[in-house]
Amino acid sequence: MEFYTHTLENGIRIIHKPEKSEVGYCGMIINAGSRDEEEHEHGMAHFIEHVVFKGTKKRRAYHVLSRLDDVGGELNAYTTKEETCIYATYLKDDYERSMDLIADITFHSIFPEKELIKEKEVIVDEINSYKDSPAELIFDDFEELLYPNHAIGRNILGTPEMLKSFTREDIFTFMKNNYHTDQMVFCSVGSEDFKRVVRLAEKYFGHIQSNPRINKRDSIIKTSPQNITIDKDTYQSHIIIGGTAFDYKHPNRLGLHLLNNLLGGPGMNSRLNMSLREKRGIAYNIESTYTPFYGTGVFSIYLGTDKKNIDKSIRIVHKELADLRNNKLGAMQLHKAKRQLKGQIAISSENKESLMLNIAKSYLLYNKVDSLEYIYEKIDAISASDLMEIANQTFNPDQFSQLVYL
């Protein structure tokens, strides 16, 4: 894959992938999320993601929302524990319009008080609706088990009480403390000439005052595993089993991605899906996930099942984990697992919006973007012994926590 990069004097990085298409994709990704909140700021990163669209120094909220919609484009945003992203889809003639709008709402939002009041109510509704979805809520409660008394363990949405206390001054303080220019990447995938990309980036981002990050994120203190059962009075029981895992710079993270994909990834032939759903019919939803962060990571297995099948399901999960710890994959099993992961990566790269977001995050975290060929080589280099060692490092049942909603 062909990429062009440029760094502005203020530290903001630009990366562009040429793509002949009538449609383009661009976005600003910022290395700041809910993990960076102080205790009295719980929910602030997500709140900002909502209210940046509510007006700037030169645009009212309606004009922000209509700027791309009027020409058939789309504007969106998301917040994670460690990133905030504002991104757009546009017709190729509207590249400058898109960059201008993203720059405007990222750096020149004014957060009108009446808009803040309205949006707080919207997010309170979002929080309450989330509580009605145990299959989603259990992930937040599980991470709170893994990281008690740390921002990375708190949910992204915050609480209604905390949310209602936020002021405009609080927003500006959080952005000043966490929106560092050397921790920002503007990425685009489209038909634009890179010289024009740089010229426009200088125009819309070049005047932003340099604000480099000085302090690193704080380290994570490992805690003892916990086994918790909560009565939620739900028809279906929900279970999560897992623990901490490799961080985003660990050399074995790709091997763990491969193991996770084999165990409970999106493929219908994952081991957990075959064991619990296809073979025994005792779980409808079953998946495993691996999410690396700065200085830590989370590996977890989630399933939903009838109350009478809880113990049986948990035994089967641990049996599959033990098999990966104790038995090497055969040559054909390893080949099929690698081929499946490579195929999923290749298909994902055909979604140009996902490609743009993946490029942006890779450049943000690693200051590089690996080609598909290089990623394939790294996957091919993983041996059965490597996977067995990783399984023993990560799937230790004595280090796993468990959360059950009854």
Side-chain angles (χ1 to χ4, degrees), residues 34-35 80-82 130 136-156 220-221 223 226 240-244 289-293 296-300 401-403 405:
S34 62
R35 175 182 182 162
T80 71
K81 302 246 171 164
E82 295 188 331
Y130 199 65
E136 296 181 9
L137 184 63
I138 195 169
F139 283 89
D140 283 342
D141 286 349
F142 182 73
E143 291 191 3
E144 194 169 351
L145 277 185
L146 296 183
Y147 306 106
N149 305 314
H150 193 285
I152 201 169
R154 297 196 294 258
N155 71 74
I156 293 171
I220 303 292
I221 299 175
T223 57
Q226 297 190 61
I240 284 196
I241 302 167
T244 57
T289 57
Y290 164 48
T291 307
F293 298 114
T296 188
V298 175
F299 171 80
S300 65
S401 291
Q402 178 177 297
L403 177 61
Y405 283 176

Side-chain angles (χ1 to χ4, degrees), residues 123-134:
I123 299 175
V124 168
D125 285 341
E126 183 180 0
I127 292 170
N128 290 332
S129 67
Y130 199 65
K131 290 178 180 178
D132 289 335
S133 178

Side-chain angles (χ1 to χ4, degrees), residues 125-327:
D125 285 341
E126 183 180 0
I127 292 170
N128 290 332
S129 67
Y130 199 65
K131 290 178 180 178
D132 289 335
S133 178
E136 296 181 9
L137 184 63
I138 195 169
F139 283 89
D140 283 342
D141 286 349
F142 182 73
E143 291 191 3
E144 194 169 351
L145 277 185
L146 296 183
Y147 306 106
N149 305 314
H150 193 285
I152 201 169
R154 297 196 294 258
N155 71 74
I156 293 171
L157 299 181
T159 65
E161 297 75 23
M162 190 65 69
L163 188 67
K164 290 175 181 178
S165 73
F166 294 158
T167 66
R168 291 180 72 245
E169 290 70 27
D170 294 332
I171 293 173
F172 288 122
T173 297
F174 181 85
M175 295 180 74
K176 179 181 178 181
N177 291 339
N178 296 284
Y179 280 32
H180 303 289
T181 49
D182 65 336
Q183 300 297 315
M184 296 180 177
V185 166
F186 182 82
C187 178
S188 58
V189 173
S191 59
E192 292 73 36
D193 177 77
F194 188 61
K195 290 182 179 178
R196 181 170 183 256
V197 172
V198 172
R199 185 171 68 252
L200 292 176
E202 294 283 1
K203 176 180 177 181
Y204 292 108
F205 301 122
H207 66 284
I208 303 301
Q209 184 175 351
S210 175
N211 179 29
R213 172 179 280 170
I214 299 173
N215 299 318
K216 291 184 178 180
R217 285 179 168 130
D218 55 354
S219 58
I220 303 292
I221 299 175
K222 196 165 185 178
T223 57
S224 300
Q226 297 190 61
N227 189 330
I228 305 292
T229 299
I230 301 174
D231 189 352
K232 287 285 186 178
D233 194 26
T234 56
Y235 177 77
Q236 185 185 48
S237 295
H238 303 269
I239 304 162
I240 284 196
I241 302 167
T244 57
F246 305 136
D247 69 10
Y248 77 89
K249 287 190 175 181
H250 198 285
N252 285 339
R253 68 184 184 278
L254 185 56
L256 183 52
H257 276 299
L258 179 58
L259 266 183
N260 175 70
N261 203 61
L262 173 69
L263 181 66
M268 293 181 67
N269 65 341
S270 73
R271 290 192 173 193
L272 290 173
N273 193 66
M274 295 299 292
S275 294
L276 287 157
R277 178 172 175 168
E278 298 300 325
K279 185 177 179 180
R280 296 176 176 88
I282 59 175
Y284 176 67
N285 292 318
I286 174 74
E287 64 183 45
S288 63
T289 57
Y290 164 48
T291 307
F293 298 114
Y294 174 85
T296 188
V298 175
F299 171 80
S300 65
I301 295 167
Y302 162 80
L303 65 99
T305 188
D306 191 271
K307 289 179 173 59
K308 67 182 181 182
N309 292 318
I310 291 175
D311 292 340
K312 184 177 182 180
S313 298
I314 292 173
R315 284 198 304 271
I316 293 168
V317 167
H318 282 290
K319 180 179 179 294
E320 293 293 344
L321 292 169
D323 186 55
L324 290 171
R325 291 196 308 273
N326 300 322
N327 300 302

Side-chain angles (χ1 to χ4, degrees), residues 352-363:
K352 301 309 177 187
E353 181 177 271
S354 295
L355 177 64
M356 183 274 294
L357 295 173
N358 288 335
I359 290 170
K361 183 169 180 177
S362 180
Y363 197 49

